[in-house]
Amino acid sequence: MTEAFRQLAERLPTSLWLLIVPPTVWAVHFLFCYILAAVICAKGGPLQSLDQVRLAITAATIVALLIVAAAAYVAWAQMRIEGDPPPYEESTDEDRHRFLATAALLLAALSFVAILYTAIPAFMFADCQ
Amino acid sequence: MSETGPELVIADQDNPAVRAAQEERLRATWAPPKGLFLKWSDVNNTAVGKWYTLTAFAMMLFAGVLALIMRAQLAVPDNDLVSASTFNQLFTLHGSMMMFLFAVPMFEAVAVLLLPQLLGARDLPFPRLSAFGYWSFLIGGVFVGGSIFFDAAPDGGWFMYPPLSTNPATAGIGADIWMLGLSFIEVSSIAAAVELIVGVLKCRPPGMRLNLMPLYAWYILVVAVMILFAFPPLIAGDILFELERLLDWPFFDASRGGDPLLWQHLFWIFGHPEVYIIFLPSIAIFAMVVPTFAQRHLLGYPWIVLAAVGTGFLSFGLWVHHMFATGLPKISLGFFSGASEAVAIPTAVQIFAFIATIWAGRLVWSTPMLYAAGSLVIFVIGGLTGVMVAVAPFDWQSHDTYFIVAHFHYVLIGGSLLPLFAGLYYYWPLVTGKKLSDELGRIAFWLMFVGFNIGFFPMHISGLMGMPRRVFTYPAELGIGTLNFLSTIGAFTFALGVAVVVIDLFLSPRREFAPRNPWNAGTLEWLAIPKTESQDWGVRSIPLIESRYPLWDQPGFVKNVDEGRYFLPDAEEGQRELMITTVLDAEPLQVARIGGPTFKPMLAAATLGGVFIFTTYHLYWLALISGAAALVAILWWLWTGTGIIPEKPAKDAGHGVVLPLYASGPSSSGWWAMFIAMTGDATAFAGLVFGYFYYWTIHPKFPPDSLPGLAGPGLSWPMIALALIVAGWALTIAARETNARGRVGLARLALAVAAAMTAAGGLAGLAGPWLTGLNPQLHIYPAIVWVLVIWIAAHAAIGMIMQLFTLARSFAGVMTPRHDGDVRNITVYHHFLALSALITFAVIGFFPRLA
């Protein structure tokens, strides 16, 4: 089962898109959090409670982290395609593929951390002051 | 494989006479135009890149002199060297010029100059567009910079906050010069971004897959994409700003429903990525310099790509940290504070990769390396104070003080200016064939390094002691006189260092030529041969790449290139040719012909510049005439220079690789350019739509009550307009399809009807607010509706011109069923037009009913 899963991930025709999925998820999550809080606060005034915002941001954060984790899994599977060890600097299909997968995995790690950073304020503030 | 490398066996290339004849043809094809006047019609990247770099360098010196005058004024308390009004002009122009006329153009200039060499290409895909960008920059730059000699320079600070700068009573013509002059330059930046993205993605040599691309090219790709998303919001802001100044539409006027904070948002959505837009290309130079002097491959190539792409994304989540003191909800500040801390991670990753490479290699302690090391020290200090000011409570203490001035000068001089000097010393032999003086270079470095720290370090302290930014003088009682005097001494020491560099440059023509590849570097740009006419054609033959450092790793590489044993070693037809390859794996797709010398881009830039300059002085008729002239110039340029049908369908590029000479749709560079340009355009549009919803969030009731002049635009006209524009879009697609199937008559009919529909759609869009009597001077609601429909109407007008242009091309026989680039490219435009019309008319038609 897991093996079949890994093979599926390995064969996904991802190319450059895999590279920008994790940071794009970060961007969408970031904008969601910011716009949601900004609109709620603009409409509700400084004493508006953020309880519901916190709930929504928690849900959005979990979804975002799951997508990034999935992208990381695909990248990890593709990174392990058979071939010579790093650095991936041959002019071959495999090396280009593994290079993009490595970069995508690194970006997924960065995006994961950045998404957590974005979520922190939701747990620090009770209202819109 | 022998020691001298594989002989790529091509019988012809063994014969020196054949090679000499090929070189003669290449030389004739790529020869620059001669003569005092004609030479300015050159469009080759080597010529345009040099002019561009020198102009940007001159702008830097000019803006630097402005800074010295400021430092002289601030040397002692209660000084009266310059007046407060002059001082305002000095700091505004210093910041604006350094940002818009030095840092960004310098990135474009260096990229235009170096990128083709790095990619083993003979030029960029659109050399005439580069020339257009340069002339736009020169005209706009002289216009903005020259204003200070007429006491008319902008004086509202480089970020031009309203209401100070929108109010005619507090800001004169300078604000218009800033807005319109710099808008013009922003257009040329976007042109450069399009050129560079297509260059990196489509003009790489065969075999140079994404994992072998020089890191410089990765950085340029990231930065060019950032420009595409960062500059358009500022252009949207500029449009609103000028409409307020020229026509009194109240976008930033709180008394009529506007909000000055919207400008701050739009400005900083541009302004923060901007910092990375100028930092990344400079750090990219390190990625070329460090491996050369460590004499080894750069360690952590994917980590650098992570850093470049990651920084590019995260830099768009930082803008509000310039607005921490504006009273936004604390939770909003928290989001941006978090992202500001997160961006330190990728920034540090690349610095560690450089340090690791230096550590692992055998370091040659050259002059460029000295600059690189020195700038890293300065940049890291600036980065650390950046982490401090990213914390909102600290920022409230230091906001608008000299602490911030110190912070961003550490970042910008360490992260942009000094790396450029490293690049200057490193790449000067590539461009001129001669090395600069190591002795003068080192003297200059130490003057700059020491001067910089004496000048800017005390500003941290004077800032924390309470010295605000942008004051023309300060009282002695504040106790910051000594610190300021030190800063002034430091600034002049720094300037002395710059002067030594300038002297070094002037001495250069008298020096001996350096050998080829004087630093023993491994990347393609060092194929260049010092001082022969061959420089003009770029590379002798377009190589097959198998390594990140082909000059080090591929045996016999230089000889094979020089003897024309790779691709396109000849110019049989006397045409300037480029090889277009696939995005991921650089497999050959097409041999593209590119434009040669012409004055048309210069004419287009001058006439388009006229539109902006005449508008500044409210000379609307002249602006209109200039606009019409620009349209004619651009159409003339496009008609005569693009989509030319080749004399044969395909040619042999060498080694039996036969490639088509004509391409249309996604395999052509023109289609990509249209797609990329329209992405930027869509971002500007998104900025305006953001404005609409922004006003909704700040008003309890938006749209306001239905008073005369405030009610509109109704539902019927927006829907009619949408239907017409969508019909124009569908007919354009129909024209593309029927034309491709050989039904030329039907395609022409479809295009003609499409043009009528598109034009009618634009007019119907305007009819909504016009017939309901929306008065844009009354309140923000009618104003923002008007802006959106004018945006669509203007785009519909351009769309109609494109449809008619394509129709004319079809009748002239230059667009045929097989050679259909024109109709495919304009279809891309109409996809975007239809999408933005859909959004606009759905928003202005339905949102008032929902709200």
Side-chain angles (χ1 to χ4, degrees):
Chain A
M1 176 59 197
T2 45
E3 179 56 21
F5 213 59
R6 193 187 63 75
Q7 285 183 1
L8 180 74
E10 191 183 298
R11 268 187 256 116
L12 273 183
T14 49
S15 79
L16 260 180
W17 299 109
L18 184 61
L19 199 65
I20 60 170
V21 164
T24 306
V25 171
W26 166 81
V28 172
H29 173 260
F30 181 83
L31 280 178
F32 173 80
C33 296
Y34 165 60
I35 291 173
L36 179 72
V39 170
I40 296 283
C41 288
K43 294 292 180 192
L47 296 179
Q48 167 77 38
S49 152
L50 286 170
D51 290 347
Q52 260 137 32
V53 170
R54 187 172 314 113
L55 219 60
I57 288 182
T58 309
T61 304
I62 291 170
V63 173
L65 291 177
L66 284 175
I67 301 174
V68 170
Y73 179 78
V74 172
W76 174 81
Q78 297 190 352
M79 222 175 92
R80 289 164 31 114
I81 295 173
E82 303 264 314
D84 50 282
Y88 308 124
E89 51 182 12
E90 302 288 320
S91 183
T92 58
D93 279 346
E94 291 77 28
D95 268 10
R96 192 263 297 154
H97 207 70
R98 291 187 299 174
F99 153 71
L100 281 179
T102 312
L105 184 65
L106 295 174
L107 270 167
L110 175 66
S111 305
F112 200 92
V113 174
I115 288 168
L116 285 177
Y117 275 26
T118 308
I120 294 171
F123 297 91
M124 304 289 287
F125 297 95
D127 57 30
C128 283
Q129 281 186 5
Chain B
M1 205 179 285
S2 71
E3 265 304 290
T4 55
E7 283 286 306
L8 291 174
V9 185
I10 307 181
D12 288 354
Q13 300 303 132
D14 289 335
N15 182 347
V18 169
R19 296 208 299 261
Q22 289 174 340
E23 277 166 25
E24 197 42 54
R25 282 190 290 272
L26 276 171
R27 187 167 292 126
T29 304
W30 289 89
K34 295 260 177 347
L36 213 53
F37 177 66
L38 274 183
K39 76 178 203 181
W40 302 107
S41 69
D42 207 346
V43 297
N44 197 344
N45 77 295
T46 46
V48 174
K50 270 179 218 163
W51 305 336
Y52 220 143
T53 313
L54 285 175
T55 311
F57 191 75
M59 295 284 180
M60 187 272 284
L61 295 179
F62 184 84
V65 170
L66 301 181
L68 291 180
I69 302 173
M70 280 191 279
R71 270 327 316 170
Q73 160 69 17
L74 292 173
V76 290
D78 302 311
N79 198 359
D80 61 354
L81 177 70
V82 294
S83 68
S85 146
T86 309
F87 193 84
N88 291 348
Q89 296 184 29
L90 287 172
F91 70 69
T92 303
L93 209 53
H94 169 73
S96 307
M97 287 188 76
M98 284 297 189
M99 283 295 195
F100 291 98
L101 304 181
F102 164 61
V104 175
M106 187 55 110
F107 140 67
E108 290 153 9
V110 173
V112 164
L113 192 59
L114 292 182
L115 192 64
Q117 300 268 19
L118 273 157
L119 299 180
R122 296 221 162 95
D123 204 331
L124 285 167
F126 313 107
R128 291 176 175 182
L129 190 63
S130 308
F132 171 76
Y134 170 70
W135 293 113
S136 299
F137 161 57
L138 181 69
I139 294 167
V142 170
F143 176 58
V144 174
S147 61
I148 197 161
F149 297 113
F150 302 92
D151 196 28
D155 57 3
W158 87 279
F159 33 69
M160 282 280 144
Y161 280 171
L164 173 72
S165 48
T166 41
N167 184 350
T170 51
I173 193 92
D176 299 309
I177 292 176
W178 191 98
M179 283 296 148
L180 292 162
L182 295 182
S183 292
F184 183 45
I185 286 168
E186 285 149 25
V187 171
S188 88
S189 293
I190 291 174
V194 171
E195 167 96 307
L196 296 173
I197 294 172
V198 179
V200 170
L201 291 180
K202 302 294 290 177
C203 297
R204 302 202 305 274
M208 188 188 276
R209 296 165 190 257
L210 281 182
N211 59 323
L212 299 188
M213 204 157 85
L215 282 166
Y216 185 81
W218 268 107
Y219 278 106
I220 294 299
L221 179 63
V222 170
V223 171
V225 173
M226 287 172 72
I227 286 189
L228 222 49
F229 290 100
F231 275 67
L234 180 61
I235 293 179
D238 286 353
I239 291 172
L240 302 183
F241 199 107
E242 269 313 305
L243 284 173
E244 173 151 357
R245 279 193 59 96
L246 298 176
L247 302 176
D248 195 26
W249 294 17
F251 295 105
F252 309 119
D253 177 0
S255 67
R256 287 177 287 167
D259 187 357
L261 270 194
L262 176 63
W263 167 260
Q264 297 199 16
H265 279 292
L266 290 172
F267 184 87
W268 289 116
I269 290 172
F270 147 79
H272 201 87
E274 153 88 354
V275 174
Y276 291 88
I277 286 170
I278 63 185
F279 161 65
L280 291 176
S282 297
I283 212 82
I285 292 175
F286 283 6
M288 306 313 289
V289 169
V290 166
T292 295
F293 294 114
Q295 287 289 301
R296 60 157 295 136
H297 292 204
L298 193 72
L299 276 169
Y301 181 96
W303 291 84
I304 302 262
V305 174
L306 151 89
V309 178
T311 313
F313 269 89
L314 291 180
S315 68
F316 282 86
L318 311 181
W319 82 83
V320 167
H321 76 208
H322 298 267
M323 301 163 63
F324 276 169
T326 55
L328 293 176
K330 306 293 177 296
I331 185 170
S332 298
L333 307 189
F335 296 136
F336 287 88
S337 194
S340 306
E341 303 292 357
V343 80
I345 300 171
T347 311
V349 161
Q350 62 203 338
I351 291 173
F352 284 120
F354 296 143
I355 293 174
T357 308
I358 293 172
W359 208 320
R362 288 165 286 120
L363 187 67
V364 182
W365 201 240
S366 61
T367 309
M369 229 17 243
L370 186 65
Y371 279 89
S375 60
L376 273 185
V377 172
I378 291 176
F379 178 74
V380 167
I381 295 174
L384 291 176
T385 54
V387 173
M388 291 164 74
V389 292
V391 179
F394 183 88
D395 181 75
W396 293 331
Q397 297 303 313
S398 59
H399 191 84
D400 266 346
T401 69
Y402 261 74
F403 188 87
I404 302 296
V405 178
H407 158 66
F408 66 70
H409 280 94
Y410 267 85
V411 171
L412 293 175
I413 292 186
S416 180
L417 185 69
L418 287 182
L420 279 167
F421 279 125
L424 178 72
Y425 275 84
Y426 182 65
Y427 278 123
W428 189 259
L430 182 78
V431 178
T432 64
K434 299 171 181 194
K435 273 190 179 179
L436 290 170
S437 157
D438 277 330
E439 212 167 26
L440 288 176
R442 279 161 201 265
I443 292 171
F445 170 78
W446 286 113
L447 282 170
M448 284 195 263
F449 187 78
V450 173
F452 174 81
N453 284 295
I454 294 177
F456 288 91
F457 197 83
M459 290 184 191
H460 292 111
I461 303 164
S462 55
L464 290 178
M465 287 173 72
M467 180 171 175
R469 286 170 78 173
R470 307 200 174 100
V471 284
F472 81 110
T473 190
Y474 50 90
E477 294 77 35
L478 212 52
I480 50 176
T482 317
L483 289 168
N484 271 288
F485 192 67
L486 263 180
S487 289
T488 300
I489 292 175
F492 278 88
T493 315
F494 186 84
L496 195 63
V498 178
V500 172
V501 173
V502 173
I503 291 170
D504 199 3
L505 299 184
F506 273 106
L507 290 176
S508 175
R510 300 165 43 177
R511 298 203 180 105
E512 295 288 306
F513 282 103
R516 189 181 189 186
N517 191 2
W519 312 111
N520 188 25
T523 39
L524 285 180
E525 72 273 28
W526 294 102
L527 284 171
I529 303 167
K531 203 57 211 167
T532 60
E533 287 172 46
S534 67
Q535 291 269 18
D536 298 316
W537 68 50
V539 284
R540 176 67 179 79
S541 59
I542 293 165
L544 181 71
I545 300 300
E546 296 162 31
S547 156
R548 285 179 193 152
Y549 300 90
L551 269 61
W552 287 342
D553 298 343
Q554 289 182 232
F557 183 77
V558 176
K559 181 164 174 286
N560 284 333
V561 170
D562 285 352
E563 294 182 355
R565 292 176 190 278
Y566 288 113
F567 300 100
L568 292 179
D570 201 348
E572 298 95 332
E573 301 91 0
Q575 298 274 358
R576 298 186 173 197
E577 289 172 334
L578 286 187
M579 195 181 259
I580 304 291
T581 54
T582 57
V583 172
L584 288 180
D585 290 326
E587 286 155 6
L589 275 182
Q590 183 208 354
V591 172
R593 265 107 188 243
I594 57 170
T598 168
F599 280 113
K600 285 167 205 162
M602 193 202 284
L603 184 68
T607 47
L608 192 61
V611 177
F612 288 91
I613 292 170
F614 290 130
T615 306
T616 307
Y617 298 101
H618 305 209
L619 303 166
Y620 298 118
W621 283 108
L622 285 174
L624 202 65
I625 294 168
S626 198
L631 180 66
V632 171
I634 291 168
L635 288 178
W636 182 37
W637 168 9
L638 291 176
W639 187 280
T640 52
T642 61
I644 296 163
I645 298 179
E647 74 288 349
K648 57 186 176 187
K651 83 176 268 179
D652 187 348
H655 301 273
V657 178
V658 178
L659 296 173
L661 284 165
Y662 187 95
S664 65
S667 61
S668 72
S669 48
W671 187 93
W672 279 81
M674 178 65 94
F675 181 80
I676 294 164
M678 291 315 293
T679 306
D681 186 77
T683 314
F685 170 70
L688 298 177
V689 176
F690 171 75
Y692 187 98
F693 287 102
Y694 182 85
Y695 290 127
W696 166 70
T697 64
I698 62 166
H699 288 285
K701 199 160 165 31
F702 185 87
D705 291 321
S706 302
L707 299 168
L710 294 181
L715 192 59
S716 44
W717 279 112
M719 289 307 119
I720 294 170
L722 177 59
L724 286 166
I725 287 178
V726 168
W729 163 73
L731 283 166
T732 310
I733 296 178
R736 181 188 74 189
E737 293 306 315
T738 47
N739 180 64
R741 285 167 181 70
R743 307 284 299 275
V744 175
L746 214 52
R748 286 174 187 165
L749 182 66
L751 273 174
V753 181
M757 294 281 187
T758 310
L763 292 173
L766 294 173
W770 178 261
L771 294 175
T772 50
L774 279 183
N775 182 350
Q777 293 180 337
L778 220 50
H779 186 267
I780 189 61
Y781 172 70
I784 192 79
V785 170
W786 266 111
V787 166
L788 283 167
V789 296
I790 289 173
W791 178 270
I792 296 297
H795 279 71
I798 296 168
M800 176 201 70
I801 292 169
M802 287 184 178
Q803 286 157 333
L804 294 176
F805 178 82
T806 309
L807 183 62
R809 301 271 290 180
S810 176
F811 277 114
V814 281
M815 195 205 61
T816 68
R818 226 190 74 68
H819 302 100
D820 60 350
D822 293 314
V823 71
R824 288 188 185 277
N825 292 351
I826 70 160
T827 308
V828 175
Y829 179 90
H830 281 271
H831 289 330
F832 279 89
L833 174 60
L835 185 67
S836 35
L838 179 70
I839 294 170
T840 298
F841 294 121
V843 166
I844 65 168
F846 287 107
F847 193 75
R849 274 146 213 270
L850 290 176

